[in-house]
Amino acid sequence: MNPSKTSINNLNIESYENLVSISEIRKSIPSTDDAERTIAKGREALFRILDGDDDRFVVVVGPCSIHDPKAALEYAQAIQGFRKRFGDRIEIIMRVYFEKPRTSIGWKGLINDPHLDGSYDMNNGLKLCRSLLIEINEMGVPAGTELLDPVIAAYIGELVSWVSIGARTTESQTHRQMASGLSAPVGLKNGTDGSLDSPMNAMISSGSPHAFLSINDAGEASIVRTRGNDKTHIILRGAKGASGYEPNYSMQHVETVEARLESLGFKPQLMVDCSHANSRYDHTCQRTVLEDVIQQKTNGNRSIFGVMIESNINEGKQKLAGPLDSLKYGVSVTDACVNLQETEALLAHIYDARSDMSV
């Protein structure tokens, strides 16, 4: 190296590793007819609900994040039973989250670090999560996920029936462009500060055509042109203010959102996240949020079409520290969740109240 030449490139890059292409992963782990029927039926059900042609109530329910594929499949079996029991009044979508946005640092999810040990074996993470989504859909359980990395969206977006864009990324132009090309309905969360401007601007942007840089199925850098996705909606998840966590699911909050949406020419439609700041990060308070929503629906509200609930096989959460074999089975390693027994009770509560709820 010429000692007089200044190095200006890749100063903080340690290494590069080739990423398996989308076409390669589809070839090695092909989807199935049964899985694709579930995906298509799940999307169609949500389209019909958003269009007002199906009066069922939507519940997106499942672990805060997936860290154990075996437990995820056991959980999916329970959801399969709940869909059969409650499906005539509730459209249940399993929450299958593989990416975790971090406020600072921490485990970034099963795709990023599938061995939960900091080895970041992302090629195997993509394969593992693709296989898991196919298995869950083969069971007749449609999946919903948060898409955080636009590159990862290109790998798993085809396998989900519903997508959320998180509070930290709804304001991002990159994610709005991504949403404009997705084939599934997209929920856009209010900002962590409670801002409604970010999801409403995101609805306008996501519904419009875009051209942006991404990758194609061969893994080549490409210019992507989209038509726009008009099947978007707002998710109220509460906020963090100067005095602490501030819920935003009350009738007054909902009426404010309805008025704002109508002023922009949108049909008032929204989902309430029963967890996060709305529950003040106390998983046991998700029932309180849900009961308030049900009461609003019983009193005539027509804009709330669904809720989100964080649920796992077993209650609570645990730290991802120490030997992996010391982890408790079916317990979240991120946000705390209610257990399956409480989940069943909450779904039964919605089901029984559904006859009194406004469409």
Side-chain angles (χ1 to χ4, degrees):
M1 179 178 178
N2 185 346
S4 65
K5 184 174 177 61
T6 301
S7 179
I8 60 172
N9 190 37
N10 293 339
L11 298 183
N12 291 314
I13 300 297
E14 183 177 283
S15 66
Y16 287 96
E17 179 181 351
N18 288 338
L19 185 66
V20 61
S21 71
I22 299 168
S23 56
E24 287 178 288
I25 202 171
R26 284 177 181 159
K27 184 177 180 180
S28 63
I29 308 172
S31 185
T32 65
D33 290 344
D34 285 345
E36 290 175 6
R37 273 192 289 271
T38 296
I39 297 162
K41 287 175 67 176
R43 291 177 183 173
E44 181 59 28
L46 291 171
F47 291 152
R48 288 178 56 81
I49 290 167
L50 289 168
D51 288 340
D53 299 324
D54 185 334
D55 65 359
R56 288 180 299 165
F57 196 67
V58 176
V59 178
V60 179
V61 60
C64 174
S65 61
I66 302 294
H67 73 276
D68 179 354
K70 179 182 176 183
L73 289 173
E74 181 179 332
Y75 185 91
Q77 288 178 335
I79 295 296
Q80 180 186 46
F82 296 155
R83 280 179 58 83
K84 290 178 180 177
R85 178 178 169 189
F86 302 120
D88 61 319
R89 298 182 187 175
I90 308 174
E91 176 61 18
I92 303 173
I93 306 292
M94 180 172 163
R95 178 186 166 108
V96 187
Y97 278 35
F98 297 128
E99 302 179 86
K100 293 308 297 177
R102 313 310 307 190
T103 301
S104 56
I105 58 174
W107 182 65
K108 296 179 183 177
L110 198 65
I111 289 178
N112 190 276
D113 188 14
H115 308 303
L116 288 76
D117 60 1
S119 58
Y120 305 112
D121 186 3
M122 296 181 205
N123 276 319
N124 276 323
L126 286 167
K127 294 173 183 177
L128 174 63
C129 293
R130 178 176 175 83
S131 296
L132 185 57
L133 279 172
I134 291 170
E135 286 189 72
I136 290 171
N137 279 296
E138 283 181 323
M139 296 166 64
V141 176
T145 198
E146 177 178 347
L147 291 177
L148 182 61
D149 189 313
V151 172
I152 290 176
Y155 282 82
I156 66 171
E158 64 175 306
L159 298 175
V160 297
S161 297
W162 177 85
V163 170
S164 74
I165 306 296
R168 297 170 182 83
T169 46
T170 295
E171 196 168 351
S172 158
Q173 175 175 299
T174 299
H175 291 80
R176 294 172 179 183
Q177 291 172 163
M178 175 187 73
S180 76
L182 294 175
S183 301
V186 179
L188 301 154
K189 288 196 172 183
N190 65 256
T192 53
D193 62 354
S195 168
L196 293 175
D197 290 337
S198 55
M200 291 190 183
N201 287 333
M203 289 180 70
I204 296 170
S205 179
S206 300
S208 305
H210 286 279
F212 56 94
L213 301 178
S214 187
I215 58 171
N216 63 18
D217 290 356
E220 301 165 331
S222 303
I223 299 171
V224 180
R225 301 182 190 277
T226 67
R227 297 188 179 93
N229 183 353
D230 64 353
K231 292 297 187 292
T232 59
H233 59 87
I234 284 181
I235 304 173
L236 297 181
R237 50 89 72 195
K240 185 174 182 179
S243 59
Y245 295 116
E246 300 172 356
N248 64 356
Y249 60 85
S250 72
M251 182 180 68
Q252 291 79 9
H253 286 104
V254 170
E255 288 177 346
T256 296
V257 176
E258 291 170 344
R260 290 281 301 276
L261 286 170
E262 288 181 328
S263 72
L264 294 172
F266 289 111
K267 179 180 178 182
Q269 293 177 314
L270 58 98
M271 180 179 283
V272 171
D273 182 351
C274 295
S275 186
H276 297 98
N278 273 336
S279 66
R280 294 186 171 89
Y281 285 90
D282 179 348
H283 63 287
T284 64
C285 291
Q286 292 187 90
R287 174 180 280 274
T288 301
V289 181
L290 177 63
E291 288 177 345
D292 189 284
V293 168
I294 289 175
Q295 189 60 54
Q296 289 184 59
K297 294 294 292 180
T298 301
N299 291 343
N301 175 277
R302 301 178 70 86
S303 65
I304 304 173
F305 71 90
V307 294
M308 298 181 70
I309 299 170
E310 288 195 315
S311 156
N312 212 321
I313 294 171
N314 294 309
E315 182 182 14
K317 66 177 180 179
Q318 60 188 324
K319 289 186 177 180
L320 187 55
L324 294 180
D325 58 9
S326 67
L327 289 176
K328 298 175 184 177
Y329 183 72
V331 177
S332 174
V333 298
T334 47
D335 290 347
C337 300
V338 297
N339 62 24
L340 274 175
Q341 292 72 30
E342 174 69 355
T343 302
E344 182 176 13
L346 294 175
L347 291 170
H349 186 34
I350 297 170
Y351 187 85
D352 291 342
R354 186 65 190 85
S355 59
D356 298 324
M357 290 162 59
S358 297
V359 175

